[in-house]
Amino acid sequence: MEQDLSLAEAVETSKRLNGTTFGDAVPTGVPGLDYITAGGYARSSLHLIEGAPGTGKTTLALQFLMDGRERGERGLYVSLSETREELMHNAATHGWSLEGIEIFELIPPELTLDPNRDQSVLYASDLELGETVGMVMKEVDRIKPHRVVFDSVAEIRLLSQTPLRHRRQVLALKHFLAKQGCTALFLDDLTQEIEETSLHSLAHAVIRLQQTPMQFGGDRRRLRVFKMRGREFRGGFHDYVIRTGGFSVHPRLIAAEHHSAYSDAAPVTSGIAELDKLLGGGLDRGTGTMIIGPAGTGKSMVCLQFLKAALERGEAGLVVSFDESRRVLLKRAIGVGVNLETYEASGQLTLKHVDPAEFSPGELAGMIRDSVEQGARIVVIDSLSGYQNALPEESFLALQMHELLTYLGQQGVVTLVVLAQHGLVGPMHSSVDLTYVSDNVLLLRFFEAQGEIRRTLSVLKKRTGEHEATLRELLIRSDRLQVGPVLDKFQGVLTGVPSFVGASSSLLQAQDNGG
């Protein structure tokens, strides 16, 4: 009965102080986290933020208080583990100012530090714990904040000495803050030997931050919402990064949540008649195309040809390059007769060179999604091997790509994905087989004829229409690509060493004779 009365009082107090309803969404200060939590934290409720030291709990909490400051809400940071100077320094590294945010640095009562004032009846820990909690309540009552951060409950745990006393003290703080209409974050650094989950039942929401070291490259950070009462949050793990400027969350891409109406009447052409004919007229909008073959066969050049045609039609594009530097990519684009810098300067094209050792899968998906929302109609990922290296767990590459290609397809985007195969001639194999998640598959190969290494192009799969079941030669000239006629006078081309069965040669000439 007493607990019901306290909660009822909390509701009324919240309405009176804030003019809002108990449980209304309070922005977290991090847009990605707002998306995951379906709006943010719950007003006048206690939220538990867990994570080992270094996972970013303090940064997340400061952004919460600064967001409140921008909205005209008073904020209080109660620190038992960091000094005011440390907090100010941490904020300055991100270019922040904590002006307008109250910082209450709790100092253990002098009574418990004075050896001449030993207690014979009460344990020092009993007195210190009670005074510490009392000091917090007194400060909250004085400032009357809308948002409170308590850093950290691990200190209360140490002072409490037993799980029961620890739970009771946190429960007392929870009810007191609710009566004051405060939205509270309690930080827990999980430094105890045995994981303590007794506070989960007291908190309205529990968010766990994790940091995983990689064998090479930077650490991977991700968070998970364990619970959030009365809210349909997005479960599972979500990547986040901490860079200069703060805490940034990249929600896991769920393709089913994103649908867009688009027109797919006309196919997307490449500007090369023979290549379009091979594809049955071109690529359909909303499809993903896998371009596979050994290194050097011209996979990236084919992608650039489609990109060139799209840019000339006035469409916006995105190129995500794992394997080539920006300088090399721009130079290669000149080989198909397009200056990408011109389109980039106008804002029509976005070029992103990604270091797979420092880029998380969630950050990559977020970057692609932002470009699509800004109008990109063609996306090139070069290559999938680099994307695979960006994933902490290779076993989930197929799921990641399925969600990404499904999302891009639902937005009507033409997606070109490059996948390098091992070997040069003869049998080939890939480190991963994702042809089944692609709508179209283009196969490039080397073959030897007349003492020269040549290239061939074919279409293995097209879900949305008919295509030629033929092999055509691909020639990379200094300023353009050329696709030749059907190689009907050769047999065994895909073996790498074909046999000539025709009456005369039908191969393309390396020298351009105007034909």
Side-chain angles (χ1 to χ4, degrees):
M1 179 66 69
E2 182 179 355
Q3 181 175 358
D4 293 339
L5 180 60
S6 299
L7 292 176
E9 291 176 353
V11 173
E12 295 303 320
T13 304
S14 176
K15 291 180 179 179
R16 185 178 67 255
L17 294 179
N18 301 314
T20 57
T21 303
F22 178 85
D24 279 354
V26 178
T28 65
V30 181
L33 187 55
D34 289 343
Y35 177 80
I36 293 170
T37 56
Y41 303 122
R43 191 174 298 279
S44 303
S45 300
L46 184 150
H47 308 79
L48 184 63
I49 310 296
E50 301 179 327
T55 52
K57 300 183 299 299
T58 300
T59 303
L60 181 62
L62 289 177
Q63 287 185 233
F64 169 64
L65 294 181
M66 290 190 297
D67 179 81
R69 180 184 60 187
E70 297 301 317
R71 300 173 186 274
E73 299 181 1
R74 292 182 296 278
L76 170 64
Y77 195 106
V78 180
S79 177
L80 286 81
S81 57
E82 292 187 81
T83 64
R84 177 187 297 269
E85 289 72 21
E86 288 176 323
L87 288 173
M88 301 291 283
H89 174 74
N90 292 340
T93 60
H94 291 291
W96 300 337
S97 170
L98 299 184
E99 183 179 357
I101 297 175
E102 296 286 342
I103 300 177
F104 182 47
E105 184 182 351
L106 263 176
I107 300 176
E110 292 296 330
L111 182 62
T112 62
L113 298 179
D114 187 354
N116 298 319
R117 300 292 298 274
D118 191 20
Q119 301 295 313
S120 59
V121 178
L122 295 175
Y123 289 105
S125 61
D126 293 334
L127 187 57
E128 183 177 342
L129 177 61
E131 290 192 6
T132 299
V133 174
M135 291 170 65
V136 173
M137 292 180 174
K138 183 178 179 180
E139 189 70 8
V140 171
D141 188 60
R142 182 182 71 84
I143 298 175
K144 293 181 170 50
H146 300 88
R147 304 187 182 198
V148 175
V149 172
F150 193 91
D151 184 10
S152 71
V153 293
E155 303 300 328
I156 295 296
R157 182 184 297 112
L158 293 174
L159 294 176
S160 301
Q161 297 184 341
T162 67
L164 178 60
R165 295 185 67 234
H166 178 221
R167 181 182 175 87
R168 285 180 175 177
Q169 291 298 326
V170 174
L171 185 60
L173 282 172
K174 171 187 175 181
H175 283 295
F176 174 76
L177 293 173
K179 289 180 182 179
Q180 300 298 316
C182 299
T183 305
L185 300 187
F186 276 37
L187 311 186
D188 189 357
D189 58 18
L190 300 177
T191 52
Q192 68 278 14
E193 295 182 2
I194 301 176
E195 184 174 324
E196 177 66 60
T197 59
S198 63
L199 297 184
H200 286 200
S201 61
L202 299 182
H204 183 91
V206 179
I207 300 176
R208 174 75 61 86
L209 308 182
Q210 296 182 355
Q211 180 173 284
T212 305
M214 306 298 293
Q215 292 184 352
F216 181 82
D219 293 346
R220 294 286 192 264
R221 289 185 168 101
R222 59 183 187 176
L223 64 82
R224 177 187 173 194
V225 180
F226 274 76
K227 61 174 283 190
M228 178 160 281
R229 292 173 179 152
R231 196 82 60 80
E232 190 174 352
F233 62 90
R234 289 165 177 82
F237 288 103
H238 306 271
D239 293 333
Y240 71 93
V241 295
I242 302 176
R243 296 195 175 101
T244 302
F247 197 103
S248 177
V249 177
H250 302 282
R252 177 170 51 84
L253 182 62
I254 304 175
E257 296 181 351
H258 305 280
H259 294 275
S260 177
Y262 63 91
S263 174
D264 58 352
V268 176
T269 57
S270 66
I272 300 177
E274 293 81 3
L275 178 55
D276 294 336
K277 185 177 180 181
L278 185 65
L279 288 164
L283 300 175
D284 293 322
R285 296 203 178 272
T287 62
T289 302
M290 187 78 64
I291 303 178
I292 62 177
T297 49
K299 302 182 297 297
S300 298
M301 299 299 284
V302 172
C303 290
L304 289 174
Q305 181 65 43
F306 276 100
L307 179 65
K308 171 190 174 182
L311 294 174
E312 291 176 348
R313 289 192 298 267
E315 300 177 9
L318 167 68
V319 178
V320 181
S321 176
F322 289 96
D323 305 331
E324 295 179 341
S325 66
R326 172 185 172 84
R327 181 181 63 83
V328 172
L329 179 62
L330 293 174
K331 187 175 181 179
R332 286 168 64 91
I334 297 297
V336 294
V338 59
N339 187 344
L340 296 183
E341 286 185 297
T342 302
Y343 292 101
E344 186 182 24
S346 67
Q348 187 178 347
L349 176 66
T350 302
L351 298 178
K352 292 288 185 180
H353 175 66
V354 175
D355 182 354
E358 303 296 334
F359 223 71
S360 68
E363 190 173 6
L364 175 64
M367 179 188 67
I368 294 176
R369 179 181 169 187
D370 289 342
S371 294
V372 170
E373 290 178 351
Q374 293 170 11
R377 308 308 300 160
I378 181 170
V379 172
V380 176
I381 301 177
D382 187 5
S383 69
L384 191 60
S385 303
Y387 185 86
Q388 181 181 15
N389 293 332
L391 292 177
E393 300 92 359
E394 295 182 4
S395 58
F396 298 133
L397 176 63
L399 292 176
Q400 292 270 354
M401 280 304 301
H402 180 270
E403 288 295 317
L404 183 60
L405 290 177
T406 301
Y407 164 75
L408 292 171
Q410 291 174 169
Q411 304 303 307
V413 175
V414 173
T415 309
L416 302 173
V417 181
V418 173
L419 177 61
Q421 291 184 305
H422 302 296
L424 292 177
V425 294
M428 301 285 171
H429 68 278
S430 305
S431 57
V432 60
D433 180 16
L434 290 177
T435 56
Y436 70 96
V437 302
S438 305
D439 300 300
N440 315 303
V441 178
L442 271 68
L443 176 67
L444 285 82
R445 282 283 188 270
F446 286 118
F447 71 99
E448 182 272 332
Q450 300 178 353
E452 294 184 3
I453 298 296
R454 298 176 177 270
R455 301 174 177 88
T456 182
L457 175 67
S458 59
V459 177
L460 298 184
K461 170 185 177 183
K462 185 180 181 184
R463 282 178 176 162
T464 56
E466 296 182 354
H467 64 89
E468 281 190 4
T470 59
L471 300 175
R472 290 178 179 266
E473 187 182 3
L474 174 67
L475 182 63
I476 302 177
R477 299 190 182 277
S478 61
D479 60 347
R480 61 190 173 93
L481 293 182
Q482 184 175 354
V483 178
V486 177
L487 293 174
D488 55 359
K489 296 180 176 58
F490 286 85
Q491 183 173 303
V493 172
L494 296 184
T495 66
V497 186
S499 58
F500 181 64
V501 296
S504 61
S505 175
S506 61
L507 294 174
L508 294 172
Q509 298 301 310
Q511 299 295 326
D512 191 357
N513 56 13

